[in-house]
Amino acid sequence: MKHRLVLIGFGTVGQGLAEILLKRELELEAVSGVRFVVVAVSDLLKGSVYHPDGLDLAELLDLARTGQRLDAYADRSGVVKGWDSLSTIVAAQADTVVEVSWTDVQTGQPAIAHVKAAFASGKHAVLTNKGPIALAYHELQQAADAAGCLLRFEGTVMSGTPAIRLGRQALAGCQISEIKGILNGTTNYILTNMEAGVDYAAALAEAQRLGYAEADPTADVEGFDAMAKVVILANVMMGAHVSLGTVVRQGITGLNRADIAAATEAGERWKLIGHIKRQADGAVSVSVQPMRLPIQHPLAGVSGVTNAITFTTDLLGDVTLVGPGAGRYETGFAVLSDLLEIAHVGKP
Ligand code: HSE
């Protein structure tokens, strides 16, 4: 079965996905029966190219690697160039739009408009940007339902580590009363290194070098990145209607070496914890704050850039998932996992 994709954005994640699809093409078809074909790529800076029968991924990746625009894609019969993102979404003959463009975290645009256009033209949508889901999850889900399309966004929390899929699908028969997570790799890396004696600025610089930190690292260290993730988890897993403004948020910039040493002495460890809890009256509270956890706590042992999440459930007690939270292939894989689900589920 062929599943045709439109890629909106051809930066790190778009290219990571393209590399995985290229490398795993035969293997994926053999195990899943699905052949993913990229029919269009549209990128604000790099230009756009479309062919209804599919594009040559190796050639696209080569253009990106050598800093060339997509307009330099070899002309063949049927190739269309120059469409902007919305024209590509609407006009391309495709099954799913993969939205991995650069998005304004304050407004969620242009990703929100892209996803709505995908549904309006009968296409499923996969996102990895947190902004649109943190800002407009219920609205986008309603638009998907009304159009009979699917919306998936595994990569918005813990990249390809299946936190959302675990909570929504594998734990579907349980009631989740509480979620605690280390949802930001940069801050966890900084805290781990400060405990080992490295100073804050050097640890942050290294997290930036590793490509983990956001373009503006304030988003990491002041807890804004984790805040978007707790809003997504609360709204998606707990049926809440919380917005970014309702999150109690505190970053790690107020912690110094003395605080870290005091925790160590007490057999505890500081972690920046995203916390979602259903209260007795049914309301859902959300916060991001540094917490001192006893060393035996499952989240206390998670070090470096690694992320982790603990679901507290009625039938299983605590279930903890540990894994990467960012990266080219890690987030590319998140998209692939959503695509495999969509290709199998099809329209509901
Ligand atoms: N800046 C984020 C982090 C990347 O450090 O975890 C993933 O959202």
Side-chain angles (χ1 to χ4, degrees), residues 146-166:
C149 296
L150 297 169
L151 168 67
R152 291 293 181 270
F153 43 85
E154 184 63 62
T156 58
V157 178
M158 289 175 72
S159 68
T161 306
I164 292 178
R165 196 156 280 116
L166 173 62

Side-chain angles (χ1 to χ4, degrees), residues 5-344:
L5 308 175
V6 167
L7 266 57
I8 301 299
F10 203 53
T12 308
V13 179
Q15 290 173 41
L17 173 68
E19 283 180 53
I20 296 172
L21 291 177
L22 186 62
K23 209 160 135 190
R24 297 269 164 93
E25 190 183 359
L26 299 176
E27 199 182 318
L28 278 170
E29 193 168 356
V31 296
S32 70
V34 181
R35 185 157 62 90
F36 292 106
V37 178
V38 175
V39 294
V41 180
S42 180
D43 184 284
L44 194 61
L45 298 174
K46 300 185 178 83
S48 89
V49 57
Y50 168 67
H51 193 294
D53 297 336
L55 299 168
D56 181 338
L57 291 179
E59 185 176 340
L60 291 173
L61 287 164
D62 209 44
L63 291 175
R65 220 176 353 250
T66 51
Q68 296 181 72
R69 288 177 55 81
L70 298 172
D71 312 76
Y73 187 81
D75 279 313
R76 305 165 170 90
S77 162
V79 164
V80 181
K81 294 177 188 173
W83 283 347
D84 66 14
S85 55
L86 282 172
S87 310
T88 306
I89 292 166
V90 173
Q93 291 163 35
D95 301 290
T96 298
V97 171
V98 176
E99 212 297 333
V100 286
S101 69
W102 182 86
T103 294
D104 181 334
V105 287
Q106 310 293 332
T107 64
Q109 297 291 9
I112 291 177
H114 289 159
V115 171
K116 286 182 178 171
F119 298 148
S121 60
K123 299 175 180 81
H124 308 295
V126 174
L127 285 89
T128 58
N129 282 318
K130 298 168 279 272
I133 302 297
L135 291 163
Y137 165 64
H138 291 294
E139 185 191 343
L140 292 176
Q141 187 58 61
Q142 275 167 15
D145 293 344
C149 296
L150 297 169
L151 168 67
R152 291 293 181 270
F153 43 85
E154 184 63 62
T156 58
V157 178
M158 289 175 72
S159 68
T161 306
I164 292 178
R165 196 156 280 116
L166 173 62
R168 270 179 131 182
Q169 297 180 358
L171 299 178
C174 292
Q175 281 181 6
I176 298 171
S177 55
E178 191 173 353
I179 303 171
K180 273 193 186 138
I182 295 173
L183 303 172
N184 181 271
T186 300
T187 45
N188 205 48
Y189 184 86
I190 292 173
L191 291 174
T192 303
N193 279 277
M194 281 174 79
E195 208 178 303
V198 177
D199 77 21
Y200 174 89
L204 172 59
E206 182 59 8
Q208 286 175 302
R209 200 191 61 78
L210 290 172
Y212 252 74
E214 298 293 304
D216 173 3
T218 313
D220 297 296
V221 297
E222 297 296 359
F224 292 102
D225 173 69
M227 177 175 84
K229 293 167 180 166
V230 292
V231 167
I232 293 171
L233 292 168
N235 290 345
V236 174
M237 311 268 178
M238 316 266 275
H241 280 76
V242 296
S243 59
L244 293 165
T246 61
V247 180
V248 175
R249 178 193 52 79
Q250 191 189 338
I252 63 162
T253 48
L255 292 178
N256 57 34
R257 298 269 282 277
D259 297 319
I260 307 266
T264 307
E265 207 160 298
E268 294 178 342
R269 196 165 265 161
W270 283 102
K271 293 290 175 191
L272 183 66
I273 298 295
H275 188 201
I276 302 140
K277 189 169 168 55
R278 189 174 297 287
Q279 305 295 333
D281 64 358
V284 174
S285 63
V286 277
S287 64
V288 173
Q289 284 170 314
M291 285 185 190
R292 271 169 69 155
L293 300 179
I295 218 94
Q296 311 78 0
H297 190 286
L299 296 181
V302 176
S303 58
V305 291
T306 303
N307 285 200
I309 191 164
T310 299
F311 295 94
T312 301
T313 73
D314 57 343
L315 300 178
L316 290 172
D318 281 0
V319 178
T320 298
L321 176 70
V322 181
R328 183 182 183 93
Y329 299 114
E330 293 82 349
T331 311
F333 171 74
V335 176
L336 175 62
S337 69
D338 284 340
L339 291 174
L340 283 166
E341 190 188 334
I342 287 174
H344 283 117

